[in-house]
Amino acid sequence: MKPRTKWIVTGVCAAVLASLIPPYISADEYRESVRGALESALGRKVEISSVRFRVLPQPGFTVSNVIIGEDPAIGAEPVAYVTTLRAAPRLLALMAGRLEFSSVDLEDASLNLTRVDKNQGGIRWNVSPLMRPALLTKFPSVHIRGGRINFKSGDTKSLFYLLDTDLDLWPPVSATGAWTLKVHGEPARTDRMARGFGSFSVRGEWFPRDNATTLDVQLENSELSDLLMLFNRHESDIHGDISGQAHLAGPLNHIGLAGRLTVSNLHGWNQAPPGGNRWPLELGGVLDAYGQTIDVAARPGGSQPAFGIRYRVADYLRRPRWGVTVNLNKFPLSPLPGVARNLGWSIPADFKLDGTALGAVSFSSPDGSTRMNGGLNLASATVAVGSTPPLRIPTADMRFSGSTITFGPSAITDVQNETAILSGAWNADSGGLEASLSSDGMQIGSLSRQISVAGIPLLSQATAGTWNGNLHYSGDDSLWTGELHLQDTVIPFEAFSDPLHLTSADVTIDESGLAVRKLKLSIGAVEGQGEYNYDPSAARPHRFRITLAQADGAALEKVLMPALRRGNFFTYAFSFGRTPQPDWLRNMHADGTIQAGTLDLAGTDFTKFRARVVWDGMEVRLTTLQTQLGTEPGGPSFKGGVTIHLDRRQPAYEIAGKLTGMPWRSGKLDAEGTLATSGTGVNLLAHMRAKGLFEGREIDLSPIDSYETVAGAFDWAWDARNPRLHLTQLVMKSGEDTFQGTADSQDDGQVVLKLTDGNRHIQAAGAIFRGDALKPVTP
């Protein structure tokens, strides 16, 4: 190896050893000198653990476990805790035999920035001793990486601190010079987990002689809810992005501020950011570092901005008290529904709002809860949902007081110039909402979507008609109350094939439910009147009393077809033979009475019809049913009940009761028994079966004989060509004679009677269902 190369290698090795070995060489013999130099440089008592030498990247000392004491006049807690401190000596002072430091680097450091209030007024900061000229000549540059900076007032720590902070502080080169500062940190709160709420950077200078500062602040793109949380005790539901920059200059008790701020992507906690929607704002204001106050105003650019925001906060390091004032100057309302949707409010996608707002509203938190004050006027506002005609609100006042916002009363006008009056109040603390709506007459279609969203009982189901009256909503109970009159109102109802048409009705809505009086209605070809009540707490919430002047069975069947016959071949087949059972039918529970002056069933008039109707899901029962056949006074009557089963593809009927006074063969018949059938229309006859007991009086069976009584049991089945009849236990009395026997219908339509009194035998036949006479038959 050449000598020159040898010397180079030797030098490199020596340099490497010089950088590696010194950190492991104890410098405890200089411990007191290092501690004294740090105390002299920082103007505070200093405690240290161990000292080691360091060569690279700059010769100096590595000091462990450093505690920098506080001025006793400020407080007892040390000003700083430092795990590792690296100090670089000043070479000129070292050559002169003095140990002074040009810079100190702090790692894993926690600093307390403290202020105290003087008894005579004013304040004092624990950094004030840095102003002393004697200290300035020895103060080193300070560099912190990843540190924590706490803010204190006396012995009380602030709710706020800076997390993961990088700080560079260079002292002035002369007594009249400026301190140079560079900071990058993340604001945080002591009552939250250790994480930053946004991040910022600061570069600037502080001039102790004039007690003034010049700073440039950059707010990096941060989450809006994080910054709002800095001044609130609860998490904000408002999310978005915020960024900006500002220039600050002036004395510490009156620092001027100017800059720009951009807010974008406003949305609620459970909503996806909408993208775009940037709101650039110009900033201006004043800060008082001593008085701990901030007063900043923000507004969009232009000579006549539509809005302005003023933000004020006091005592921000101890117990922040903030206030916001919003000034609106013909502020357009059209963007608000989109912003409200982004914040998670249930605003329909096709809801549109237009118009302007003028006024001022302030928000403050004097005691930790939000308080409001001010008023707004809405002018030339229009509200539209989907393709419905817009509603006009010529003018409306909103008032803000304490935790309550009140609206109106204000007129709402539709395209027919019909007017409703709306007023309301909302409490921000409780979330309670009160609203009132009244009108002397207005088309339901004008408010159909709004009424539907509001869930007003009965009215929200209507698709057409007019209403007048008053309504009130109480959010505490989620309850609507009021008195309404409805006219020509159309309400679709799932149980009916045609919409329910209310010719007129008086409606009362209260805490117990809904009551409809003086009800005149029609459903398809069926017309009637009566009453209706809805009580959600009852086992059968629907209660009614309906009177029909006259009705036709076919028309009634058509109206009730959604309940009687459900599904077609395909729905039945793809349900594997199971009958479709809609939710409304399974959940239907009703109780009421129905009566009709005349009811036409298959060409037979039933008069004075009355029955109680009990509807429980898939079963309908008509109890205490009574009616008269025909229109003649004293005609035959029927009493009994009907059960309708709806759990099949087609309805099944079971009728049980007693028929009294049925004219037949110059006499009258009474019958008691059951009748079963199924289907609809003509299929009802095809499936009809009946059985029971009968008794007749003064029955003329001539030319055989006339009988005072005829009694027995019957079993009957319908056949279009020849109904089948079977009589058993037949007893016929004529004078002193009593005959017993049977009767059966034949294929040719003849009914054959076989009777005997023990001695005599009678056999006769005839098409008695067609009105033919019986004729004796010789055995």
Side-chain angles (χ1 to χ4, degrees):
M1 181 181 295
K2 295 181 180 181
R4 183 177 179 180
T5 304
K6 180 179 180 181
W7 283 107
I8 292 175
V9 172
T10 302
V12 171
C13 292
V16 171
L17 290 174
S19 64
L20 295 176
I21 295 175
Y24 299 99
I25 300 177
S26 174
D28 284 343
E29 59 189 88
Y30 298 98
R31 183 174 179 278
E32 287 303 313
S33 298
V34 170
R35 187 182 64 79
L38 288 173
E39 288 184 346
S40 178
L42 301 175
R44 291 287 190 276
K45 292 291 184 180
V46 175
E47 298 179 13
I48 61 177
S49 177
S50 62
V51 180
R52 294 185 179 276
F53 289 114
R54 180 180 70 149
V55 173
L56 296 178
Q58 185 179 4
F61 300 93
T62 298
V63 186
S64 300
N65 301 323
V66 180
I67 299 176
I68 302 174
E70 182 60 276
D71 182 347
I74 298 294
E77 185 181 8
V79 70
Y81 300 88
V82 184
T83 301
T84 303
L85 182 149
R86 294 183 174 86
R90 285 193 174 95
L91 296 180
L92 292 179
L94 196 61
M95 295 174 60
R98 302 189 311 274
L99 181 58
E100 297 178 0
F101 295 113
S102 61
S103 67
V104 292
D105 297 340
L106 310 181
E107 293 183 2
D108 193 15
S110 176
L111 278 70
N112 292 322
L113 184 61
T114 307
R115 56 163 275 176
V116 293
D117 297 327
K118 296 180 179 179
N119 294 331
Q120 298 80 11
I123 63 170
R124 179 186 176 190
W125 290 87
N126 62 350
V127 296
S128 300
L130 301 180
M131 312 305 124
R132 294 181 302 193
L135 185 61
L136 285 177
T137 60
K138 299 179 181 180
F139 198 88
S141 61
V142 178
H143 309 279
I144 299 174
R145 293 295 177 265
R148 169 172 173 155
I149 298 179
N150 303 304
F151 300 95
K152 295 180 58 180
S153 178
D155 293 329
T156 304
K157 280 190 177 180
S158 167
L159 187 69
F160 306 103
Y161 67 97
L162 297 182
L163 179 69
D164 197 16
T165 303
D166 295 340
L167 181 147
D168 297 287
L169 180 65
W170 293 275
V173 296
S174 66
T176 59
W179 290 78
T180 303
L181 177 69
K182 179 181 177 183
V183 180
H184 182 278
E186 300 177 3
R189 290 172 62 111
T190 58
D191 59 348
R192 299 287 174 176
M193 63 180 182
R195 71 177 183 90
F197 299 115
S199 60
F200 72 97
S201 60
V202 177
R203 299 176 65 94
E205 296 179 321
W206 171 38
F207 300 87
R209 179 176 177 179
D210 301 322
N211 200 22
T213 186
T214 300
L215 300 172
D216 288 300
V217 180
Q218 177 77 35
L219 176 62
E220 300 171 5
N221 195 53
S222 303
E223 172 56 53
L224 177 61
S225 63
D226 288 346
L227 264 66
L228 293 176
M229 194 185 300
L230 281 174
F231 302 105
N232 287 317
R233 296 184 179 182
H234 55 81
E235 295 185 9
S236 172
D237 291 332
I238 302 177
H239 290 240
D241 299 324
I242 184 170
S243 62
Q245 56 278 332
H247 178 75
L248 294 84
L252 293 183
N253 62 349
H254 193 83
I255 305 173
L257 178 149
R260 297 184 65 84
L261 189 70
T262 299
V263 179
S264 61
N265 293 327
L266 285 177
H267 62 283
W269 68 270
N270 59 345
Q271 304 291 316
N277 299 330
R278 300 177 70 254
W279 298 67
L281 304 172
E282 296 179 354
L283 299 178
V286 175
L287 283 73
D288 182 353
Y290 292 147
Q292 292 191 53
T293 61
I294 301 174
D295 192 341
V296 179
R299 67 172 202 172
S303 58
Q304 293 183 332
F307 72 92
I309 302 173
R310 183 182 179 188
Y311 175 77
R312 291 157 292 172
V313 60
D315 203 12
Y316 51 81
L317 293 182
R318 288 189 297 185
R319 188 177 181 182
R321 299 185 305 278
W322 58 269
V324 176
T325 300
V326 180
N327 289 278
L328 303 180
N329 180 22
K330 295 183 178 181
F331 180 81
L333 302 177
S334 54
L336 296 184
V339 174
R341 290 188 201 98
N342 294 339
L343 296 179
W345 292 18
S346 298
I347 305 295
D350 54 358
F351 176 84
K352 299 176 183 177
L353 175 66
D354 207 349
T356 59
L358 176 68
V361 182
S362 63
F363 306 85
S364 62
S365 63
D367 55 1
S369 60
T370 302
R371 290 292 177 266
M372 300 176 285
N373 188 42
L376 296 176
N377 176 261
L378 309 184
S380 302
T382 60
V383 178
V385 181
S387 58
T388 59
L391 297 171
R392 303 188 307 274
I393 306 176
T395 183
D397 290 323
M398 297 181 67
R399 294 172 296 280
F400 301 77
S401 178
S403 61
T404 302
I405 303 174
T406 58
F407 175 89
S410 299
I412 300 176
T413 306
D414 62 14
V415 291
Q416 287 86 20
N417 287 324
E418 300 167 329
T419 300
I421 305 299
L422 176 66
S423 62
W426 178 69
N427 188 287
D429 289 345
S430 65
L433 173 65
E434 302 286 331
S436 295
L437 181 67
S438 63
S439 177
D440 293 332
M442 196 172 198
Q443 295 290 323
I444 293 175
S446 302
L447 294 170
S448 59
R449 286 294 299 276
Q450 294 86 344
I451 291 174
S452 177
V453 171
I456 302 176
L458 191 62
L459 207 58
S460 60
Q461 283 83 44
T463 58
T466 61
W467 70 279
N468 65 68
N470 59 83
L471 290 164
H472 182 78
Y473 176 79
S474 175
D476 293 338
D477 304 313
S478 297
L479 177 67
W480 282 98
T481 58
E483 301 281 343
L484 298 175
H485 178 73
L486 303 180
Q487 199 163 1
D488 292 328
T489 303
V490 178
I491 303 176
F493 188 41
E494 292 166 310
F496 303 144
S497 58
D498 293 311
L500 178 65
H501 181 266
L502 304 184
T503 305
S504 64
D506 291 337
V507 181
T508 299
I509 306 170
D510 57 26
E511 61 277 0
S512 64
L514 176 76
V516 183
R517 300 289 182 267
K518 298 181 181 179
L519 172 62
K520 295 182 178 180
L521 60 87
S522 65
I523 312 171
V526 180
E527 297 182 357
Q529 59 185 13
E531 299 176 351
Y532 169 80
N533 291 274
Y534 179 75
D535 181 0
S537 64
R540 297 186 181 98
H542 304 278
R543 294 185 175 271
F544 58 89
R545 181 184 60 80
I546 301 297
T547 299
L548 309 175
Q550 59 182 16
D552 180 78
L556 285 171
E557 184 182 70
K558 180 182 177 182
V559 166
L560 295 171
M561 195 58 70
L564 298 178
R565 185 171 183 174
R566 301 177 312 284
N568 51 37
F569 169 78
F570 294 101
T571 57
Y572 187 71
F574 285 106
S575 296
F576 302 100
R578 295 188 298 271
T579 304
Q581 297 180 356
D583 291 340
W584 70 264
L585 184 56
R586 285 196 304 269
N587 298 326
M588 174 62 73
H589 296 282
D591 191 343
T593 62
I594 184 168
Q595 56 188 26
T598 303
L599 178 61
D600 182 356
L601 295 179
T604 300
D605 287 337
F606 292 82
T607 58
K608 301 178 182 179
F609 180 92
R610 178 182 176 85
R612 178 187 176 191
V613 180
V614 178
W615 191 340
D616 285 315
M618 311 306 292
E619 183 179 272
V620 180
R621 299 186 303 279
L622 277 67
T623 63
T624 62
L625 187 155
Q626 58 186 29
T627 185
Q628 177 180 307
L629 279 69
T631 60
E632 294 295 329
S637 62
F638 175 82
K639 292 183 179 181
V642 180
T643 300
I644 308 172
H645 300 281
L646 303 175
D647 55 347
R648 307 160 196 178
R649 189 178 178 190
Q650 294 192 11
Y653 299 85
E654 295 177 0
I655 303 173
K658 184 175 183 179
L659 178 65
T660 304
M662 184 69 181
W664 189 64
R665 294 279 179 171
S666 301
K668 292 187 177 181
L669 285 174
D670 297 339
E672 184 173 2
T674 61
L675 182 149
T677 187
S678 63
T680 57
V682 295
N683 290 329
L684 286 170
L685 283 175
H687 300 145
M688 192 174 293
R689 301 289 186 273
K691 61 181 179 179
L693 302 175
F694 72 93
E695 181 178 355
R697 299 174 302 279
E698 304 298 332
I699 304 300
D700 183 7
L701 294 178
S702 58
I704 297 178
D705 205 345
S706 179
Y707 296 90
E708 289 88 2
T709 62
V710 178
F714 68 90
D715 193 333
W716 177 83
W718 172 258
D719 186 294
R721 293 179 301 176
N722 182 26
R724 309 297 295 182
L725 176 66
H726 177 57
L727 300 180
T728 59
Q729 304 174 33
L730 183 61
V731 177
M732 303 174 64
K733 293 183 178 181
S734 177
E736 298 296 328
D737 299 326
T738 299
F739 292 86
Q740 298 180 353
T742 61
D744 288 281
S745 58
Q746 305 298 312
D747 292 339
D748 59 0
Q750 299 287 312
V751 176
V752 178
L753 279 75
K754 296 179 180 181
L755 303 168
T756 181
D757 65 355
N759 296 316
R760 292 178 297 169
H761 296 274
I762 299 176
Q763 185 170 334
I768 60 176
F769 288 117
R770 294 196 292 265
D772 294 347
L774 289 170
K775 296 180 180 180
V777 177
T778 302

